[in-house]
Amino acid sequence: MEQPAAPLPNDFIRDIIDEDLKTGKNLGRVATRFPPEPNGYIHIGHAKSVCLNFGLAGQYRGTCNLRMDDTDPLGESMEFVESIIRDVRWLGFDWGDRLFYASDYFEKLYAFAVELIKKGDAYVCDLNADEMREHRGTFTEPGKASPYRNRSIDENLDLFARMRRGEFADGSRTLRAKIDMGSANIVMRDPVLYRIKREPHYRTGNAWVIYPMYDFAHCLSDALEGITHSICTLEFENNRPLYDWIVARLIEKDRPRQIEFARLNLSYTVLSKRRLIELVQKKYVSGWDDPRMPTVTGMRRRGYTPEAIRQFCQAIGVAKNDNLIDVALLEHCVREDLNEKAPRAMCVLRPLKIILDDYPEGKVEQIQCANHPQRPDMGTRRVPFSRELYIEQDDFLEDPPKKYNRLAPGREVRLRNAYIIKFERLVKDEQSGRIIEIHCSHDPATKDGPPADGRKVQGVIHWVSARHAVTAEVRIYDRLFRIADPGSEEDFLKDLNPDSLEELAGCQAEESLRDSAPGSRYQFERLGYFCVDEKDTKPGKPVFNRIVPLRDSWAKISDKK
Ligand code: ATP
Ligand code: MG
């Protein structure tokens, strides 16, 4: 795993760990874990947790486990397990041989539950869900004890064993911790530890009809793995006393400690798994890997780099209070990283034909172009130039405003890496009035430098040779949601951005992009960063995803609306 070059600024979690190391707690060990439930694909919020947990292990020379928190059979699957493994690895982290499954602990967790019963700390309760809710009380009123609270230990042991054997109907009985129905913290009012659920589990099949609740399974899984710092998001703050209560009763020494941090909230984005599942199932997006999704697989397909995502997670840091991070920061990190790494290329999205009347027909020049303006180590490539070219439709205006420094009647413009050309005449479709082609002349003395007569030509535009260009499809992505905080006012689906995807067919890319490897990334001159789509690209038929524009165009677009 990569080590950070400079020491990271300390946050409150690192302060806690430093203190633990100073006092010799856990014998100087730092053991963390990333514990996803395999019921969906992981997203940028999970990436924050991944970077934090693996980052701490790296920084303190400790360990970080990858643990599937798979104790609720509903919705969990091997597909999700595999995706999580692939995504965490892609983010750049390595758990060695420490991949674990909470479902592997079912037998041990059952034994822990039996131990709690034997200590008089848990009981089998026959209240159904509604009755239990009635007994639970509210924030202002204490709860009422269940009539089954004082069953004998023997009766509890017998009933719990029979729950496991499948003698009782789903929901008819639970195992509950015997804590305090009068506690100010509702979590501590005899929480359920086990429930009956006849649901096959993707790993244990039909072996179990009772499943442990998250609060019971999670802390004990941590303890079984020797986790020292169990880092989770703020919504578990109220559950911490229960975490400590269970661990104090069942674990002798080296008890893990739960620490909560603020989850990532990102503007123009939803990060709730339930909502992401809804987007996929109702086909608002093409799948978990739709490049507009905030999932790791979606960001990968879009062309984001793991380095950029890690940089983002480092930049936002960890805090104790919930906040909303501007998605523009993530895009900024992506842009910064790609600016360094992405080779440059030319591609015309909306082609307009240019004919150089004074350029010999059949002649082809191979122009040597730098792949990166600041990085000679990235080499050069040959880009063919010929009499017929394509430029962008909006790089020509028939009646331009003064400041327009692209091509127009009577004007000259520089073709990137090539000649200065001059407008001569245009040809329109007689019926529609649409411009079909533009005839220009070129100044042969300007290929490698400014014009000899010192005249100024301001604009530089990109182009491709028509004969050599490869036809490509380009997908322009915008944010999936129209507003910064989707779902805050009404149904989040109503906040979807109807223009989040624009598919452009018939784009013309320079010849060198014909067989570019799926997944490779480029800066298309003047347009932004693009990635060769891994799924839909066919040999000789590239599909490009726009990763990010060169500048943040969102402000401009939203002004217009
Ligand atoms: P669910 O609501 O289904 O529990 P979840 O998003 O919490 O969804 P988990 O698989 O339980 O998903 O999460 C795994 C880990 O990732 C947990 O430790 C959780 O705290 C952390 N995590 C989840 N969402 C975020 C987020 N937005 N920011 C930071 N960490 C997160
Ligand atoms: Mg969770």
Side-chain angles (χ1 to χ4, degrees):
M1 196 163 58
E2 283 175 36
Q3 299 292 326
L8 295 166
N10 250 25
D11 48 57
F12 77 99
I13 296 181
R14 289 176 169 89
D15 286 343
I16 292 172
I17 295 178
D18 288 342
E19 186 60 29
D20 287 347
L21 292 178
K22 227 190 288 161
T23 59
K25 204 177 159 193
N26 308 309
L27 299 170
R29 239 167 19 93
V30 174
T32 59
R33 83 287 169 267
F34 172 62
E37 184 182 359
N39 61 354
Y41 282 65
I42 59 169
H43 54 59
I44 183 74
H46 295 111
K48 174 179 177 180
S49 174
V50 168
C51 290
L52 176 59
N53 281 294
F54 281 95
L56 290 171
Q59 181 182 348
Y60 290 97
R61 313 217 170 266
T63 53
C64 180
N65 299 351
L66 177 59
R67 181 203 312 148
M68 300 301 155
D69 222 339
D70 54 357
T71 55
D72 181 355
L74 220 79
E76 296 175 352
S77 76
M78 214 51 213
E79 177 200 345
F80 295 133
V81 169
E82 282 161 8
S83 77
I84 292 165
I85 288 175
R86 189 172 57 232
D87 290 348
V88 176
R89 192 166 282 150
W90 180 79
L91 282 171
F93 299 103
D94 183 9
W95 50 89
D97 55 0
R98 291 181 311 280
L99 168 62
F100 300 110
Y101 296 83
S103 55
D104 281 345
Y105 308 143
F106 279 165
E107 202 59 59
K108 286 181 182 153
L109 294 171
Y110 180 83
F112 275 131
V114 168
E115 201 180 324
L116 269 192
I117 295 174
K118 286 185 180 159
K119 288 181 197 274
D121 285 324
Y123 61 97
V124 172
C125 180
D126 302 0
L127 297 181
N128 64 31
D130 287 337
E131 293 162 333
M132 215 181 290
R133 207 169 302 122
E134 278 163 32
H135 280 72
R136 193 179 299 136
T138 63
F139 281 114
T140 47
E141 284 167 54
K144 284 191 306 242
S146 157
Y148 307 97
R149 199 170 199 261
N150 292 316
R151 278 181 160 147
S152 71
I153 289 175
D154 283 342
E155 189 183 2
N156 281 321
L157 287 172
D158 174 60
L159 286 172
F160 189 51
R162 289 166 63 195
M163 274 170 66
R164 176 179 181 168
R165 285 203 299 269
E167 290 187 22
F168 310 122
D170 285 15
S172 64
R173 286 192 159 95
T174 55
L175 181 74
R176 297 176 70 178
K178 196 173 187 174
I179 308 181
D180 179 6
M181 289 309 291
S183 172
N185 182 351
I186 295 181
V187 172
M188 298 300 273
R189 296 181 189 167
D190 290 12
V192 173
L193 305 179
Y194 265 90
R195 64 203 189 293
I196 306 172
K197 201 168 185 174
R198 281 178 176 71
E199 188 74 46
H201 185 279
Y202 77 101
R203 290 186 83 239
T204 58
N206 294 314
W208 294 86
V209 295
I210 57 172
Y211 291 98
M213 300 300 286
Y214 173 88
D215 282 321
F216 187 68
H218 194 82
C219 56
L220 293 171
S221 302
D222 283 345
L224 287 169
E225 292 175 15
I227 300 301
T228 55
H229 301 85
S230 176
I231 296 161
C232 65
T233 36
L234 274 180
E235 66 270 22
F236 291 103
E237 199 169 8
N238 289 337
N239 303 54
R240 185 174 359 116
L242 177 55
Y243 187 108
D244 292 340
W245 185 93
I246 295 170
V247 164
R249 270 153 194 79
L250 295 169
I251 304 298
E252 289 282 310
K253 56 179 178 60
D254 296 336
R255 293 176 183 150
R257 165 174 180 187
Q258 175 179 311
I259 305 168
E260 309 90 22
F261 72 104
R263 66 191 299 117
L264 171 67
N265 301 306
L266 202 57
S267 62
Y268 299 96
T269 310
V270 300
L271 291 181
S272 134
K273 248 188 222 169
R274 193 179 48 74
R275 288 177 168 179
L276 295 177
I277 290 172
E278 200 172 336
L279 290 174
V280 172
Q281 286 180 347
K282 295 189 177 162
K283 301 205 185 322
Y284 288 100
V285 293
S286 63
W288 288 100
D289 65 351
D290 187 300
R292 293 165 295 178
M293 289 283 272
T295 51
V296 172
T297 180
M299 293 189 289
R300 175 173 54 224
R301 187 167 167 205
R302 173 87 167 249
Y304 285 18
T305 59
E307 294 80 6
I309 295 171
R310 294 203 301 263
Q311 177 55 38
F312 168 75
C313 291
Q314 187 171 325
I316 58 178
V318 282
K320 265 194 254 197
N321 299 314
D322 272 321
N323 56 3
L324 181 68
I325 303 287
D326 191 341
V327 71
L329 175 60
L330 174 60
E331 292 159 359
H332 169 77
C333 292
V334 172
R335 216 175 270 123
E336 292 273 289
D337 188 42
L338 292 176
N339 183 37
E340 287 266 304
K341 292 183 186 152
R344 275 45 172 172
M346 291 193 284
C347 177
V348 173
L349 300 186
R350 297 172 184 84
L352 171 62
K353 181 132 244 197
I354 299 281
I355 297 165
L356 301 178
D357 292 330
D358 60 349
Y359 195 91
E361 224 158 311
K363 178 175 173 184
V364 177
E365 279 178 90
Q366 294 291 343
I367 299 183
Q368 206 75 18
C369 298
N371 287 331
H372 195 293
Q374 284 92 38
R375 291 189 52 186
D377 60 301
M378 287 176 69
T380 59
R381 68 191 188 287
R382 286 147 65 92
V383 179
F385 185 91
S386 66
R387 179 182 157 92
E388 297 196 3
L389 311 167
Y390 290 118
I391 65 166
E392 296 287 348
Q393 285 168 17
D394 64 7
D395 279 337
F396 174 81
L397 272 187
E398 209 177 344
D399 186 15
K402 256 215 166 74
K403 283 202 174 140
Y404 184 82
N405 51 13
R406 299 177 240 171
L407 193 63
R411 296 199 192 175
E412 286 185 297
V413 74
R414 156 88 60 193
L415 295 177
R416 184 86 169 161
N417 298 311
Y419 302 98
I420 289 174
I421 60 168
K422 184 172 173 218
F423 175 90
E424 298 294 343
R425 67 189 171 92
L426 57 79
V427 179
K428 284 186 178 175
D429 179 86
E430 278 178 17
Q431 294 203 325
S432 67
R434 204 175 53 85
I435 299 170
I436 298 176
E437 60 188 35
I438 292 181
H439 291 256
C440 293
S441 55
H442 79 295
D443 180 346
T446 55
K447 191 173 135 198
D448 298 310
D453 60 9
R455 71 186 192 279
K456 288 249 174 332
V457 176
Q458 295 209 316
V460 181
I461 64 174
H462 61 278
W463 53 274
V464 294
S465 163
R467 252 174 63 199
H468 302 90
V470 51
T471 301
E473 181 184 329
V474 175
R475 297 173 185 166
I476 305 289
Y477 296 101
D478 203 338
R479 290 166 185 167
L480 192 49
F481 291 92
R482 285 182 297 122
I483 63 168
D485 194 3
S488 56
E489 301 283 310
E490 19 178 11
D491 180 7
F492 81 104
L493 294 171
K494 293 199 177 139
D495 296 329
L496 279 165
N497 174 7
D499 304 318
S500 60
L501 168 60
E502 186 184 0
E503 291 171 289
L504 300 171
C507 305
Q508 300 294 321
E510 68 171 61
E511 193 180 30
S512 72
L513 295 170
R514 185 179 307 274
D515 296 307
S516 42
S520 44
R521 306 172 182 91
Y522 299 89
Q523 184 195 96
F524 288 168
E525 305 254 9
R526 301 175 65 230
L527 297 176
Y529 295 95
F530 291 77
C531 172
V532 184
D533 189 74
E534 297 195 56
K535 228 175 176 170
D536 296 333
T537 292
K538 306 265 160 9
K541 290 205 176 105
V543 175
F544 295 104
N545 297 316
R546 187 177 71 182
I547 309 169
V548 277
L550 285 181
R551 280 193 196 80
D552 190 353
S553 59
W554 178 252
K556 252 191 278 164
I557 293 169
S558 51
D559 280 352
K560 260 192 268 168
K561 279 181 186 154

